[in-house]
Amino acid sequence: MHRFQIRVYYEDTDMAGIVYHANYLKFIERARSDWVKQQGLDQNAMREEDGIVFVVRRIEADYLMTAKYDDALEVRTTVKSMTGVRLIMTQEVMRGEEAVFRAEVTAVCVTRDGQPARLPKALRQQVH
């Protein structure tokens, strides 16, 4: 399981001081990017040298509780399944041991012209 720390800043909240719903997607994106880097992949090199990039194909999200200004949160990312072309991850935003947000994210790779591509071999070998 990958863990990524987040602090809720004023800019992350709405008028009530509660994390604005779309910002949870930003939080989990940062955590996925960090996870990819920890897998030894350089996304800039993937784009420039291999001509492929990761894209989100699907997100199913549940807002469970509110997070507020100055909360210390942790995004926990777990690989649920992976095929040659699809990576499915479960991501939870936690405040302590309480889940405030949960999502299942399906990511794929595409070429520069938007055509489907296989996930990087190094990732497929490392995660399996």
Side-chain angles (χ1 to χ4, degrees), residues 11-26:
E11 69 181 13
D12 298 321
T13 63
D14 61 16
M15 290 178 59
I18 296 170
V19 172
Y20 182 68
H21 71 279
N23 287 330
Y24 289 101
L25 299 178
K26 292 179 182 182

Side-chain angles (χ1 to χ4, degrees), residues 8-76:
V8 176
Y9 294 105
Y10 183 77
E11 69 181 13
D12 298 321
T13 63
D14 61 16
M15 290 178 59
I18 296 170
V19 172
Y20 182 68
H21 71 279
N23 287 330
Y24 289 101
L25 299 178
K26 292 179 182 182
F27 296 165
I28 65 174
E29 177 69 35
R30 289 178 202 157
R32 283 194 311 279
S33 293
D34 192 67
W35 177 84
V36 168
K37 186 175 280 194
Q38 285 193 0
Q39 301 308 305
L41 295 175
D42 179 342
Q43 292 190 76
N44 285 319
M46 283 175 52
R47 182 186 64 240
E48 297 302 319
E49 297 167 15
D50 303 325
I52 62 172
V53 295
F54 285 105
V55 295
V56 171
R57 184 178 182 282
R58 181 176 186 277
I59 293 179
E60 183 178 336
D62 290 309
Y63 297 86
L64 307 169
M65 301 176 74
T66 59
K68 298 180 178 167
Y69 171 73
D70 205 35
D71 278 353
L73 305 175
E74 179 179 77
V75 181
R76 297 178 183 172

Side-chain angles (χ1 to χ4, degrees), residues 1-2 4 28 31 64 73-78 89-95 98-104:
M1 174 188 316
H2 176 266
F4 185 77
I28 65 174
L64 307 169
L73 305 175
E74 179 179 77
V75 181
R76 297 178 183 172
T77 303
T78 306
M89 306 174 100
T90 301
Q91 293 189 275
E92 290 185 301
V93 177
M94 307 293 291
R95 182 180 47 234
E98 295 179 308
V100 297
F101 176 84
R102 185 175 296 126
E104 184 172 286

